[in-house]
Amino acid sequence: MTAPRPRPAPAAALSRLFVTPLVPRPRLRRLVWLYLGLVLFGLGGALLVRAELGAMPWDVLHQGLSLRTGLSIGTWSVIAGTAVMLLWIPLRQRPGLGTVSNVVVLGLSIDLFLWLLPENGSLEVRLLMLVAGVAVCGVGSGYYIGAGLGPGPRDGLMTGLAERGWSVRMARMVIEVVVVVTGALLGGTVGVGTVVFALSIGPMAQAFLSLLRIPDGNSGATVPHR
């Protein structure tokens, strides 16, 4: 019986840093699901911001930081996502391709759609944007999670804390309360949209995930709450 071949140095390094394999089969379908889901989630986030009835929890923070600094909401999404990923190091969480893509693609997508979407609509239009934003986020979550390519950076922080003795519910609640309160103090919009998103994104994502999950090799990604 021959001894197993040692892994090449680059592959060994990747296995220590990332969830491996980075893209299990079917690769093309997973990549399409991942990036379609992230773009849709960015569109949903932009719709909630434009509705001006309350952004999703993390975008309340990004919006507040944007108002204080002049940098775009999408830019702050990228900065915050990168900072959160650094917190994974002491928690010993490993990212996947979906994790890194989440940081970049969501930020770019929300800025693109904020540029494209109209401002200052009537209340009826804004309510429609709110409903559409939550629904699009639900569909995007189903695609993104269904790709099975790693959790979002904020979800990894939540699960990392859970592995240190916190309950998942407590970790999520503490993180999102801190994020929303900080964002509100900075001027971010908290309102009915924030509450509707928080209450509905889980059930909606689960419903769409049951339709869109790619079988075999799903990495256990969780809902990208932002």
Side-chain angles (χ1 to χ4, degrees):
M1 184 174 179
T2 58
R5 287 184 186 175
R7 288 184 181 180
L14 283 175
S15 69
R16 288 193 295 269
L17 293 173
F18 293 96
V19 174
T20 54
L22 287 179
V23 187
R25 295 180 180 178
R27 294 187 179 92
L28 179 59
R29 187 181 177 194
R30 288 184 190 278
L31 290 173
V32 171
W33 255 228
L34 171 65
Y35 293 111
L36 176 60
L38 291 174
V39 170
L40 286 174
F41 204 87
L43 171 58
L47 284 165
L48 285 167
V49 171
R50 280 287 179 259
E52 298 179 354
L53 295 170
M56 65 178 75
W58 276 92
D59 278 344
V60 174
L61 176 62
H62 303 150
Q63 187 179 36
L65 289 167
S66 175
L67 291 170
R68 295 288 179 170
T69 64
L71 297 176
S72 70
I73 292 175
T75 298
W76 274 113
S77 177
V78 173
I79 294 171
T82 303
V84 169
M85 279 190 66
L86 293 177
L87 296 177
W88 283 32
I89 297 172
L91 296 173
R92 297 182 181 178
Q93 299 292 294
R94 291 194 300 169
L97 177 63
T99 312
V100 178
S101 298
N102 180 297
V103 172
V104 178
V105 177
L106 280 181
L108 294 176
S109 297
I110 195 168
D111 273 354
L112 172 63
F113 290 117
L114 284 174
W115 179 66
L116 293 172
L117 290 170
E119 298 183 65
N120 302 322
S122 65
L123 179 60
E124 291 79 8
V125 171
R126 290 161 57 204
L127 286 170
L128 182 61
M129 283 184 167
L130 188 159
V131 174
V134 174
V136 170
C137 283
V139 177
S141 297
Y143 275 110
Y144 165 69
I145 302 167
L149 295 177
R154 297 144 181 100
D155 298 306
L157 176 61
M158 178 180 66
T159 56
L161 289 172
E163 290 175 5
R164 295 299 181 275
W166 295 46
S167 70
V168 172
R169 180 179 299 178
M170 178 60 70
R172 175 184 168 188
M173 183 181 72
V174 169
I175 291 168
E176 294 199 347
V177 167
V178 169
V179 163
V180 169
V181 170
T182 303
L185 291 173
L186 292 170
T189 305
V190 180
V192 63
T194 312
V195 177
V196 170
F197 177 87
L199 294 177
S200 62
I201 188 62
M204 288 186 64
Q206 188 62 46
F208 285 110
L209 180 58
S210 65
L211 299 173
L212 298 170
R213 185 194 297 274
I214 299 174
D216 300 325
N218 188 280
S219 66
T222 49
V223 179
H225 292 290
R226 303 292 307 287

